[in-house]
Amino acid sequence: MTRLFGTSGVRGAWKEGITPDLFLRLGRALSSFLGGRGKVLVGRDTRTSGEALQAALVSGVLSGGCEVLEAGVVPTPVLAFSTKLLGADAGAMVTASHNPPEYNGVKFWSEEGMAFTPEQEREIEKILQENPRGAEWFRVGRGRRVEILSAYFEEILRRFSLQEKFKVVVDCGNGAASLVTPLLLRELGCEVVALHSHPDGFPGRGLEPVPENLGELAEEVRNSGADLGIAHDGDADRVVAVDERGRVVDQDKLLALVAGQEGAGGTVVTTVDASRVVEKVVEEKGGRVIRTKVGDVNVALACRENEATFGGEPCGAWIFPRIHFAPDGPLGAVVLLKMLEAGKPLSEMVDELPQYVMQRKKIPCPDAKKEAAMKEFMAAAKEMGGDLSMVDGIRVSLPEGWILVRPSGTEPLIRITVEGEREEWVREYMQRTVRILTTKEG
Ligand code: MG
């Protein structure tokens, strides 16, 4: 059996792997994992298959003996936050994050509001294969509806206020953010223009907040003279920004700016694939950077272990440990506005950052050949000199830049990232790396 859980929970296309039947069994497995007692908070994003899958999951949890608190449509960060707040024993979010609308999945959360670790996911898979029969009639769980948005709003509004009245355009991608970010920013005194804010599961743009999907947002920011544009993915654990000139801000640079603000004098966690600009900014402000494996659960675990003040990935998944340990898109938007209070427009802050050139590339490589290719690269990396890191794949750090080579855990490909100060250097090392990884092919 192939592994059910990928880098971010269970994910797949509706009817192709993702079925109510699977969700019924997953729910029962989760109940069994919790020993058949306790409470599970269940929520979903706006996908059309969400209700059907949530109903099946809830049925599974109840039949396994646990109680269910049903939250309905909420962003993933609100579900995670509320799992801890309500004292639930676990959370389950029905979502496929930034994947296309026909996809869905589920991500489990611990009582602390942290994503399940790979070990916990493997345990669920093991129970799933044993196919537990569920609780006796007198132990079947009961369910009830809960409203969790207002407590989340209260917490953010208790902790943050804005002195200035900003104009913000928010693109919710017809996802779960529709219920939170526009309202939250209005409560903070902003003038908000909301785009794609009907939470109906039929997105008016691609759900991944990448520049090619954000043309409308950029145009609206320019036309309306807004201070900031904000976009989220389908479940709102990610945030992307458009500056007041209508440019989608480079994600590594945005990460560095927020890390600089949140991590001044403290510890920041980021992943091995993030730009060197993060160290540059954070270290200048007296902080230090720890790099971890790619994946938000790894960032969350490292944040807790190192008492970090901020953790983030270049995809826009940002963790603010003083509030909670789940990547939080709406909170990210609030923090960006706090940054703008310093008085500088976002475009200026971005343009003042050190400029690096970065190239990311995927090359096809069948699973069976990954190990040999990585061995080849390891030998070459040792010859290059510099610092070697094996936190996730192989990362070589040289004075002029760095190279990261990482085999995908789920697809037949290897990812390469090269970053440096000069374009020729980056091009040369990208070509060299591709050559090294493909010589033994065939
Ligand atoms: Mg997401």
Side-chain angles (χ1 to χ4, degrees):
M1 180 185 164
T2 54
R3 273 182 53 213
L4 195 58
F5 288 85
T7 38
S8 208
V10 177
R11 234 13 116 67
W14 168 249
K15 293 202 292 187
E16 289 167 34
I18 297 297
T19 59
D21 175 61
L22 172 66
F23 274 55
L24 179 76
R25 293 191 295 123
L26 274 168
R28 205 180 291 142
L30 178 63
S31 242
S32 179
F33 174 84
L34 296 171
R37 53 178 62 87
K39 283 182 286 195
V40 179
L41 179 64
V42 181
R44 61 183 167 92
D45 68 15
T46 61
R47 288 159 200 278
T48 53
S49 61
E51 272 183 280
L53 294 172
Q54 179 183 277
L57 187 79
V58 166
S59 178
V61 173
L62 296 173
S63 67
C66 285
E67 282 175 57
V68 168
L69 307 174
E70 217 178 308
V73 174
V74 288
T76 298
V78 179
L79 186 285
F81 173 83
S82 309
T83 299
K84 185 176 179 190
L85 188 76
L86 296 176
D89 299 279
M93 180 72 191
V94 178
T95 176
S97 189
H98 58 279
N99 288 136
E102 66 273 25
Y103 276 62
N104 218 330
V106 66
K107 189 166 174 172
F108 293 139
W109 297 86
S110 75
E111 59 192 339
E112 294 169 285
M114 289 181 73
F116 264 28
T117 61
E119 290 71 39
Q120 288 169 315
E121 291 180 339
R122 267 195 292 278
E123 182 68 19
I124 295 280
E125 275 200 62
K126 218 179 105 204
I127 298 172
L128 198 72
Q129 281 168 34
E130 292 159 3
N131 201 14
R133 293 195 52 216
E136 296 303 321
W137 67 271
F138 49 87
R139 284 207 178 277
V140 173
R142 298 293 176 91
R144 66 183 161 94
R145 290 277 308 179
V146 286
E147 191 283 305
I148 62 173
L149 291 176
S150 39
Y152 173 82
F153 271 78
E154 264 168 41
E155 175 70 5
I156 306 289
L157 295 172
R158 192 171 66 80
R159 300 249 205 164
F160 295 89
S161 59
L162 295 172
Q163 309 309 319
E164 232 179 288
K165 189 178 161 76
F166 291 106
K167 183 164 187 180
V168 191
V169 184
V170 182
D171 179 344
C172 303
N174 304 87
S178 310
L179 302 169
V180 173
T181 308
L183 196 58
L184 184 64
L185 299 189
R186 276 185 199 123
E187 291 278 335
L188 284 163
C190 297
E191 183 187 342
V192 176
V193 179
L195 296 181
H196 304 305
S197 58
H198 301 287
D200 60 4
F202 291 97
R205 61 139 166 105
L207 284 174
E208 188 159 17
V210 287
E212 50 269 37
N213 289 331
L214 303 178
E216 258 180 279
L217 171 64
E219 205 184 313
E220 186 58 34
V221 169
R222 264 194 306 270
N223 291 344
S224 63
D227 303 291
L228 179 69
I230 291 290
H232 297 294
D233 64 337
D235 65 329
D237 60 349
R238 293 197 199 176
V239 61
V240 170
V242 169
D243 71 22
E244 81 291 349
R245 290 169 56 191
R247 299 179 304 182
V248 179
V249 179
D250 174 87
Q251 283 290 80
D252 287 87
K253 286 182 177 163
L254 194 67
L255 173 66
L257 286 174
V258 175
Q261 172 178 278
E262 299 293 304
T267 301
V268 162
V269 173
T270 191
T271 45
V272 289
D273 59 336
S275 166
R276 213 176 239 189
V277 71
V278 178
E279 270 94 357
K280 199 87 181 167
V281 174
V282 172
E283 284 167 9
E284 218 162 73
K285 297 196 172 185
R288 65 166 183 152
V289 176
I290 292 174
R291 285 184 180 256
T292 180
K293 267 179 190 252
V294 173
D296 62 68
V297 63
N298 299 314
V299 176
L301 289 168
C303 277
R304 191 177 59 177
E305 198 181 308
N306 297 288
E307 293 179 11
T309 50
F310 174 72
E313 292 189 271
C315 66
W318 299 346
I319 293 171
F320 303 94
R322 65 194 151 120
I323 311 288
H324 65 144
F325 284 98
D328 191 323
L331 181 52
V334 174
V335 169
L336 283 174
L337 287 166
K338 288 304 290 177
M339 203 163 77
L340 291 186
E341 272 191 338
K344 246 185 218 173
L346 184 56
S347 66
E348 246 173 69
M349 286 190 240
V350 172
D351 291 344
E352 280 170 10
L353 290 171
Q355 301 293 320
Y356 295 106
V357 183
M358 186 187 271
Q359 264 190 34
R360 289 189 167 114
K361 205 179 183 121
K362 296 178 211 172
I363 56 165
C365 180
D367 286 344
K369 287 185 178 164
K370 280 177 181 167
E371 206 185 312
M374 291 304 285
K375 253 190 196 154
E376 286 289 316
F377 183 72
M378 184 54 127
K382 279 181 182 157
E383 270 174 39
M384 288 177 202
D387 291 335
L388 273 184
S389 153
M390 263 94 78
V391 169
D392 195 353
I394 300 170
R395 193 176 190 276
V396 199
S397 205
L398 298 161
E400 304 90 339
W402 56 272
I403 304 130
L404 171 70
V405 176
R406 224 163 44 85
S408 163
T410 49
E411 293 169 276
L413 50 89
I414 295 182
R415 295 176 210 277
I416 310 169
T417 312
V418 182
E419 185 183 54
E421 285 167 24
R422 290 182 307 112
E423 197 168 342
E424 308 89 83
W425 188 92
V426 171
R427 221 178 308 131
E428 187 201 319
Y429 273 82
M430 179 56 89
Q431 276 171 8
R432 237 167 110 173
T433 306
V434 171
R435 218 177 309 131
I436 294 161
L437 292 170
T438 48
T439 42
K440 287 266 164 96
E441 223 175 356

